Every structure is written in C-alpha cells, then in structure tokens.
Amino acid sequence: MTHPLPVGARVRHYGQQWPAARDAGTATVREIQGPLPDCTYEYRVQATRDFSRGPDNPEDRDAWWSSSATIPAAPQTGEDQAAGEAP
C-alpha cells in the first residue's frame, strides 16, 4: 500500500474487518501530516461515531489514525463478488 493516501480517500481502520467496511470504508481522509521520523503519516479522518458498531452509523467525529493502521477501502468488482474473493 502506498502512503500518503489522498485527501478525500475512503478508508477503514485495520480493526474493522466486516465486508461493508472493507468495500465502502468507515471514514474519509480530511488532512495528512508527515512523513514522521518513523516514515509513517497521520491522517485526520471523519470517522463513524461508534468504532465497533459497524459501517451503518454516522461519520460525525474526527479522529487521528496512523498510516500503519489505515487501509484504503477496496470495493469488489462483479467478478470478485461472483468468485467470492477479496480484491
């Protein structure tokens, strides 16, 4: 994965593993800081209200996520879905 991700990118936190989080993301990148001395970046994201509730809740809180814990959303293609494969 290439960092930094662009402002506006749909992302999820590495702890959010359900399929809808993987496909649609649970946050939007709003600001980027870095690279930091350890070569990571910090992302200010507009994230879902309840981290563990699932993707079906409002994105109404700001949070800072490390690039080491931030994964871009990756919608599956029709072929991926038909084969039952992750992108």
Side-chain angles (χ1 to χ4, degrees):
M1 172 176 0
T2 303
H3 287 282
L5 300 171
V7 169
R10 295 290 299 157
V11 295
R12 67 180 170 99
H13 192 274
Y14 78 98
Q16 297 171 314
Q17 298 296 326
W18 52 90
R22 182 190 66 224
D23 295 344
T26 58
T28 303
V29 174
R30 297 294 182 211
E31 182 181 343
I32 304 161
Q33 290 187 355
L36 303 175
D38 64 355
C39 297
T40 62
Y41 291 82
E42 286 288 320
Y43 297 112
R44 182 177 62 83
V45 297
Q46 185 173 350
T48 51
R49 180 181 303 167
D50 183 348
F51 181 85
S52 63
R53 188 169 102 189
D56 59 340
N57 64 81
E59 290 184 19
D60 61 359
R61 73 178 176 93
D62 281 340
W64 284 95
W65 291 355
S66 169
S67 60
S68 62
T70 304
I71 301 170
Q76 292 183 330
T77 67
E79 290 177 9
D80 292 334
Q81 291 171 347
E85 298 176 1

